[in-house]
Amino acid sequence: PAFEEFESMEMGLRAGFKVLQSYVKKRIDTPSAIIARWAPSNENNTKEYLDYVCKRARLTPHERLKFAPSGVDKNKLCCMVWAMVEMETGVTLSFQQIENAYAIAMRK
């Protein structure tokens, strides 16, 4: 119905990571499953969205993701969110902004 507004880009990104974290806890943990939930086909071209995110983030559609303080999984999730933001807004953020938001999401 309505979109949330945040005090900063990092806090908005943090909220996105928190949503993804809730998906992963429910075993919605692949780019394919996440994008189907995030951008359902009744509102989006889900296949195009998934193809774009996987290509930009260098992920495969059925690759399992998990939240971790550091390492490969952190990098994969950050790449995915970076690509999702670009798909949603047309804006390319710095990867540092994405990593900062991930760190905030892991703390709170």
Side-chain angles (χ1 to χ4, degrees):
F3 289 97
E4 191 74 37
E5 290 187 34
F6 298 93
E7 64 192 55
S8 68
M9 179 62 74
E10 278 83 7
M11 292 309 288
L13 292 167
R14 174 207 170 266
F17 276 118
K18 287 300 201 181
V19 170
L20 294 182
Q21 196 171 34
S22 75
Y23 290 178
V24 170
K25 285 180 183 177
K26 296 174 187 168
R27 306 237 354 127
I28 302 167
D29 59 357
T30 65
S32 181
I34 290 167
I35 297 301
R37 178 77 175 261
W38 183 276
S41 60
N42 64 320
E43 298 174 3
N44 300 273
N45 182 334
T46 304
K47 182 185 178 337
E48 181 180 295
Y49 198 124
L50 176 63
D51 290 346
Y52 181 86
V53 168
C54 285
K55 181 178 179 183
R56 294 290 286 152
R58 296 186 173 144
L59 297 170
T60 62
H62 302 292
E63 188 169 343
R64 295 219 178 272
L65 303 170
K66 64 181 180 178
F67 277 78
S70 63
V72 172
D73 289 303
K74 172 193 169 201
N75 190 55
K76 287 179 182 181
L77 282 164
C78 286
C79 286
M80 184 168 174
V81 168
W82 176 73
M84 289 171 72
V85 168
E86 198 173 74
M87 179 69 184
E88 293 275 345
T89 67
V91 174
T92 302
L93 299 177
S94 76
F95 202 70
Q96 188 62 55
Q97 286 177 288
I98 303 293
E99 288 182 316
N100 290 347
Y102 185 88
I104 294 166
M106 293 301 289
R107 286 196 309 261
K108 298 181 181 182

